[in-house]
Structures are given as C-alpha cells and as structure tokens.
Amino acid sequence: MDSSGLYLDVTDFAHSTPGWVQSALEIWTEYGLLAFGALFIAVWWRSRGARDPRTVALAVLAPFVTALAYVASELVKSSVDEERPCRAVAGAAASLIKCPATGDWSFPSNHATIAGAAAVALALAVRGLALLTLPLALLMAFSRVFVGVHYPHDVAMGLLLGASLAALAALALAGPATRVVSAVRASGSRTAVLITGPDPAR
C-alpha cells in the first residue's frame, strides 16, 4: 500500500490551518481516547438500571473487546514493521507532534484501532451512541494523519480492524456474558448490586 501522496496532501493542509486548529487536533490525537474511557464508565453505570442483563453484559464487554482489538493491532504492527511516514516520506512537512521512535511501527494505527473498536462496542451497548462515537473515531483517525505520524492506510486499516473485531467479539461473547450477569445479579450480594445493578426479579 502506498498512500504517501494523500499523506502529503493532508499534512500540507494541516500546516496551512490556523494555529488553534493545529493545537486542537494535537490535543485530540494525544488525549482523545480518554473520551472513550469516560463513555465506557458512563455506559456501564447507566446499564446497571436496565432490566435486561444483556444490556449490562454489552456495557461490560465494551472495554474488554476494545482491549482485544488493541492486542490484535499490536500483533499486526510487530509483524509488518512499517516505518513512520514522518521519517520515511521525502519532502514531507515536519510532523506537528514528535515522530515516534524507530521500532514504534506505523501499520496499523493503534489509536485508530482503539477508537474504531470503542465506537462500535459502545454503539452496540447503546445504539443511539453511534451518532457520537463513530464521528469521534473518524476524527481520531484523521488526526493521526493530520499531525503527521500515520499514513492514511494505517488509520483506515486500524478503524476496520478495530470495528470488525469489536463487533465480532461482542456478539460472540454477549450470550455467555449475559448468563454471567444474570447469575451475579441473582446472588443478591452488595458487590453484585454495585457491578451489575439490582436483580429486577427481586
């Protein structure tokens, strides 16, 4: 894959934008994944009041399947060994953030993988969230090219890898996880109520 031409177009565009735009995307690319972490907590807390244990199960699974997607991304990254475009593309403008060290490979983008996985996992837990999480994932992927540390194909594959693995894992594990939530709720213990919410049958 060679998307260096598009990489140059995006990074040239980045350097033509106002300073506040550059600063905003630099902050987002560095810390934006924390927004998905906050959503994981909010969705889990909200799910505790649901009567359907599957709702709780999907909320609990969301960060877990996102972590699985990250591990898969790391395995691919370590086998491909693609150099970062901020070092490899001749004539490219300087990256807006520090270029990662050699050995921190480019393909696929971990940030895009995590964002894609989190977006889909959260949308499966709360369908209406797709209108928020999917644009946030796309913005995270774009920001990685904008600041100069990934090729477009890195982030495209990261989004695809994360989203597909999260969807498959969440749907495959939803049944067993729902049974576990039902059993934990039925125990009636204080810890169970804290984690999964009260059993509606009680």
Side-chain angles (χ1 to χ4, degrees), residues 129-182:
L129 269 184
L131 295 175
L132 172 64
T133 61
L134 296 180
L136 288 180
L138 291 172
L139 181 60
M140 175 56 70
F142 174 75
S143 75
R144 302 304 288 169
V145 183
F146 183 92
V147 300
V149 296
H150 276 292
Y151 291 103
H153 67 262
D154 296 337
V155 299
M157 186 54 69
L159 286 173
L160 180 61
L161 176 66
S164 57
L165 284 181
L168 290 172
L171 294 175
L173 296 172
T178 299
R179 291 191 288 274
V180 170
V181 169
S182 296

Side-chain angles (χ1 to χ4, degrees), residues 12 23 47 50 84 126 130 148 156:
D12 286 346
S23 297
S47 74
R84 295 276 180 165
V126 180

Side-chain angles (χ1 to χ4, degrees), residues 11-79:
T11 52
D12 286 346
F13 166 72
H15 280 266
S16 72
T17 59
W20 67 266
V21 173
Q22 296 178 19
S23 297
L25 283 175
E26 288 169 26
I27 293 170
W28 174 252
T29 205
E30 294 282 8
Y31 303 108
L33 292 180
L34 295 177
F36 290 104
L39 286 171
F40 285 144
I41 295 170
V43 166
W44 160 69
W45 189 258
R46 174 182 179 273
S47 74
R48 296 167 64 256
R51 294 183 62 84
D52 185 1
R54 182 182 173 86
T55 301
V56 183
L58 287 171
V60 171
L61 283 172
F64 177 71
V65 299
T66 300
L68 287 179
Y70 166 73
V71 171
S73 175
E74 276 293 296
L75 291 174
V76 175
K77 188 185 288 279
S78 63
S79 65

